[in-house]
């Protein structure tokens, strides 16, 4: 019954609206002694125009490496995209020259990180960093870019924009720095905004303000968002669709409502239990026992098997495929093998 209702949801996506398409992406790191860390190991997903897709999973599951692969910012060596394609508006980013790619970064794709101190340059004023991006991608003259910079800071809710333009990153609070990062990331009206744990370092009130700001930007500019977070509460409030990542792979994918109401993968079920609930006493908040296996030591079977409450002997032998069990709902788990209607 629940399923039936969800399938009638109108918010389902169509492929002409596709903005980003990642297929069979593998990003590996060469380690000492011939070990290979399979940080991203055969990941496929797409993002539609104006859609917010959340990429969730515990620390070490491969979320940041997925986003850095899209930006082609994987440190090489030791890292390398060894297989797959990443298409933005039908163009494979992996076949672009470094020069062409640098025109995409900060222009068609904007990115904000967890800690803006690491991505803002401490020796330049906010104004300088904002106008640099505008002058590079929009060929603005300095004065025009300065005016536009002030306008952008006002859009992201910085009242004293003229003053902040002349300040250095360390003079601002964490929340203000994150607003500046959003202003820079949005300065060239990107098609896609990648936000990697953008609110993790902020206190709860500021977190909510920054998330709201991102959603306002999305409505105003029609931007698609890839939102990386380990916070399922944030996912519930912001995402249209969710990708759950574990051990370098996607283990479940569904529209947000369906993911919460009809959760399939034991890992997702466990993740959802980690959402703090106001009525719940703090001690009852569960964390998932055990930890993500290191990316150079994945077992041959299911990568979650060791921590799974439903583990079967098959799980230790064979890594399940990501299977579509309902339209728009995919899961990588042997519990659903019988129901599978297609394979990826
Ligand atoms: P997440 O963002 O989900 O916390 P990451 O994408 O940062 O996880 O990392 C996934 C895994 O990739 C890490 O657990 C690690 O094994 C591997 N990895 C990431 N960066 C490097 C690196 N520079 N060298 C070697 N391995 C790395
Ligand atoms: Mg990360």
């Amino acid at each position: 019954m629940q399923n039936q209702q969800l399938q009638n949801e109108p918010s389902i996506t169509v492929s002409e609206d596709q903005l980003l398409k990642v297929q069979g992406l593998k990003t590996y790191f060469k380690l000492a002694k011939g070990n290979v860390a399979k940080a991203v190991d055969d990941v496929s997903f797409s993002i539609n125009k104006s859609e917010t897709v959340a990429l969730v999973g515990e620390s070490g599951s491969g979320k940041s490496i997925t986003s850095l692969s899209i930006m082609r910012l994987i440190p090489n060596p030791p890292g390398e995209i060894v297989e797959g394609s990443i298409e933005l508006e039908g163009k494979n980013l992996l076949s672009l020259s470094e020069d062409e790619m640098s025109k995409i970064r900060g222009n068609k794709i904007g990115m904000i990180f967890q800690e803006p101190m690491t991505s803002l340059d401490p020796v330049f004023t906010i104004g300088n960093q904002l106008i640099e991006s505008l002058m590079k991608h929009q060929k603005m003259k300095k004065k025009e870019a300065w005016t536009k910079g002030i306008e952008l800071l006002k859009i992201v809710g910085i009242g004293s924009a003229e003053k902040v333009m002349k300040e250095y990153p360390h003079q601002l609070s964490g929340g203000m720095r994150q607003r500046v990062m959003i202003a820079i990331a949005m300065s060239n009206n990107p098609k896609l905004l990648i936000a990697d744990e953008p609110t993790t370092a902020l206190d709860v009130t500021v977190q909510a303000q920054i998330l709201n700001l991102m959603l306002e930007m999305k409505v105003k500019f029609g931007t698609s968002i890839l939102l990386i977070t380990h916070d399922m509460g944030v996912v519930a409030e912001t995402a249209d669709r969710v990708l759950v990542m574990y051990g370098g792979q996607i283990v479940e994918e569904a529209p947000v409502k369906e993911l919460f109401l009809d959760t399939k993968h034991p890992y997702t079920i466990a993740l959802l239990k980690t959402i703090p609930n106001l009525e719940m006493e703090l001690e009852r908040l569960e964390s998932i026992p055990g930890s993500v296996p290191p990316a150079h030591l994945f077992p041959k079977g299911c990568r979650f098997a060791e921590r799974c409450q439903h583990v079967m002997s098959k799980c230790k032998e064979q890594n399940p495929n990501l299977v579509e069990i309902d339209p728009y709902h995919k899961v990588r788990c042997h519990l659903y093998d019988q129901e599978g209607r297609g394979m990826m």
Side-chain angles (χ1 to χ4, degrees), residues 252 263-271 288 304 308-310 331-333 335-336:
E252 184 160 8
T263 320
K264 297 291 192 198
H265 201 288
Y267 178 60
T268 316
I269 292 171
L271 263 189
I288 310 170
F304 186 61
C308 184
Q309 293 189 342
H310 304 279
V331 63
R332 186 189 289 280
C333 175
L335 287 175
Y336 304 96

Side-chain angles (χ1 to χ4, degrees), residues 59-60 62-65 114 196-197 228:
S59 186
K63 306 182 299 294
S64 293
I65 299 303
Q114 176 176 340
D196 191 350
E197 313 244 8
I228 298 177

Side-chain angles (χ1 to χ4, degrees), residues 232-287:
M232 292 302 271
V234 168
V235 172
E237 283 168 35
T238 54
D240 298 314
R241 207 150 48 84
V242 188
L243 310 168
V244 181
M245 201 165 177
Y246 189 84
Q249 299 186 316
I250 289 173
V251 297
E252 184 160 8
E253 172 184 341
V256 68
K257 243 185 193 169
E258 174 144 355
L259 190 94
F260 279 81
L261 295 178
D262 192 16
T263 320
K264 297 291 192 198
H265 201 288
Y267 178 60
T268 316
I269 292 171
L271 263 189
L272 287 175
K273 288 187 180 152
T274 66
I275 302 184
N277 180 327
L278 284 181
E279 293 121 53
M280 211 187 257
E281 288 165 39
L282 205 58
E283 304 90 82
R284 281 178 51 208
L285 192 65
E286 293 181 43
S287 69

